[in-house]
Amino acid sequence: MKHPAGTRAVWLAAALALLLPGAPAPGQEAFRLGDITAEPGHTVSGRLDVAPLGGDAGTFLPLTVVHGARPGPVLTLVAGIHGSEYAPILAMQRLRPLLDPAEISGTVVLVHMANLPAFLGRTIYFSPDDRKNLNRLFPGKPDGTLSERIAYVLTEEVIGRSDYLMDIHSGDGNEWLRPSYTGYYAEAGGAEVIEKSRRMAVAFGLDPIVEFKGDLDPARAIWCGSAAVARGIPSIDVESGEMGLIEDRTIAPIVDGVLSVMRDLGMAPGDPTPTENPLFIRERAYATSEHDGVWEPDPLVKAGQYVAEGARLGLVRDFHGNPLAEIRAPAGGMMLILLGTPPVNRGETIAVIAQVE
């Protein structure tokens, strides 16, 4: 039986794809995002612009697209939602040269710095442009303030293109953190999304794993990871690092965790390194301040330790040094987060305690 020349060419391309490691699969298209066009088997870096509006200068998101030689899912890694959380930002820098598109099935999108104004401004929590917390603004507004427009562009242009997402954080420049953990939405997105998110959290390899409670709709999904889940996209949150410090012990687990998840998803060669006996945390207790003032943590209390209910965590003083309130643990459990610098505002969280059964 004779075949048209075009058919023979397709067969030949398919055969070469099987014989040559890293050869692009026949028919696979380029991946386009912002000013980036990545052909199969290539890595391209560029930017996604957030246009100026209302007198501000606008901004952009530095991106890298690693478009694998073979088809597969789109995995998005978001770092720098808070500009002073440096461990995830540096982990993206390390990951880029490690991701060989010739060996990857699917596409990895690295958002190196989601909040460039806060990164360059060296601010904690808030953008210097509009004094808003990007991680409370999703899904964003196309005609809002700069931070709201960043959230909108991330939601529409990046999250909307994803099959899986990791929202990667660390303790901000004022937070002590139990050095690392992951979390996922255990009651939102439907059974399939929950199961895939849980599997990602386990595959990442960190312990403990926080199970976020509550269902989500797009209007209430104000965090980056929750915005993905509200759209039916499996997502996990990662926390690794603290106090804006640059340490290999908190950067390396992010790099290793991403590679482990990619292997679990069949995107990269090798075996994943999941958490073997994860501790799942469903309940968290919060200690907050009723005053503006100066926070003085107890020197015996550290993030990662277990504390008893009622244990003394520290003291809030007024601006002249007079005691205002003694802060005690609202519940017993593991200290996940502890405020690590003196400034404290009324209503601000001082400690987060994981209640371990």
Side-chain angles (χ1 to χ4, degrees):
M1 180 179 178
K2 295 184 68 177
H3 298 283
T7 303
R8 290 197 300 272
V10 170
W11 283 6
L12 179 59
L16 287 173
L18 293 174
L19 293 173
L20 299 176
Q28 191 175 3
E29 297 180 353
F31 188 93
R32 294 177 174 83
L33 183 59
D35 69 353
I36 298 171
T37 299
E39 299 292 340
H42 289 79
T43 296
V44 183
S45 294
R47 57 191 281 168
L48 182 59
D49 288 323
V50 180
L53 184 68
D56 67 45
T59 187
F60 67 93
L61 283 66
L63 303 177
T64 293
V65 173
V66 184
H67 193 28
R70 292 168 296 280
V74 177
L75 171 65
T76 295
L77 314 174
V78 180
I81 287 284
H82 293 131
S84 294
E85 296 181 359
Y86 298 130
I89 292 170
L90 293 183
M92 296 305 102
Q93 305 275 317
R94 289 192 188 182
L95 269 166
R96 184 182 180 278
L98 296 178
L99 300 178
D100 183 355
E103 296 183 348
I104 288 175
S105 299
T107 305
V108 184
V109 177
L110 291 85
V111 180
H112 291 277
M113 297 156 200
N115 197 342
L116 194 58
F119 176 76
L120 295 176
R122 300 187 180 94
T123 55
I124 293 170
Y125 296 149
F126 305 109
S127 168
D129 289 82
D130 56 17
R131 299 299 300 161
K132 292 186 177 181
N133 183 342
L134 177 57
N135 210 36
R136 301 293 185 273
L137 299 177
F138 287 85
K141 298 178 181 178
D143 56 352
T145 67
L146 184 56
S147 295
E148 290 170 332
R149 299 197 319 275
I150 292 173
Y152 180 80
V153 168
L154 275 168
T155 302
E156 296 299 319
E157 302 295 331
V158 180
I159 295 175
R161 300 284 304 279
S162 307
D163 296 309
Y164 298 89
L165 184 134
M166 298 185 199
D167 182 18
I168 309 176
H169 292 258
S170 65
D172 215 326
N174 62 332
E175 294 173 332
W176 278 317
L177 198 75
R178 184 198 184 278
S180 54
Y181 58 90
T182 59
Y184 74 101
Y185 293 86
E187 300 176 353
E192 183 178 2
V193 171
I194 292 170
E195 177 54 33
K196 288 182 176 180
S197 298
R198 178 186 174 97
R199 180 165 177 166
M200 287 174 66
V202 173
F204 200 91
L206 295 181
D207 191 42
I209 298 173
V210 179
E211 297 182 310
F212 305 138
K213 298 175 68 174
D215 203 353
L216 296 167
D217 61 59
R220 293 190 300 109
I222 60 175
W223 306 278
C224 179
S226 69
V229 171
R231 287 178 164 231
I233 300 164
S235 172
I236 63 171
D237 284 17
V238 178
E239 296 277 0
S240 185
E242 59 184 7
M243 300 292 289
L245 298 175
I246 302 170
E247 298 178 325
D248 187 68
R249 70 184 180 95
T250 59
I251 299 169
I254 298 173
V255 174
D256 294 342
V258 168
L259 295 175
S260 181
V261 170
M262 289 180 62
R263 291 166 184 146
D264 190 69
L265 293 174
M267 297 180 68
D271 296 322
T273 52
T275 307
E276 293 185 359
N277 296 295
L279 171 64
F280 289 96
I281 294 170
R282 290 191 59 80
E283 301 291 340
R284 290 172 291 169
Y286 297 81
T288 59
S289 175
E290 297 181 356
H291 308 276
D292 297 334
V294 181
W295 164 241
E296 183 183 295
D298 190 299
L300 298 179
V301 177
K302 304 294 182 184
Q305 294 179 340
Y306 284 78
V307 296
E309 182 176 356
R312 184 182 187 276
L313 303 182
L315 185 68
V316 176
R317 299 181 182 272
D318 68 17
F319 300 118
H320 302 98
N322 302 305
L324 290 174
E326 193 170 57
I327 305 299
R328 294 188 173 273
M334 180 195 303
M335 186 77 68
L336 282 180
I337 301 172
L338 182 65
L339 190 66
T341 57
V344 65
N345 299 284
R346 184 193 304 270
E348 196 165 51
T349 298
I350 287 179
V352 180
I353 298 171
Q355 296 174 254
V356 181
E357 297 180 357

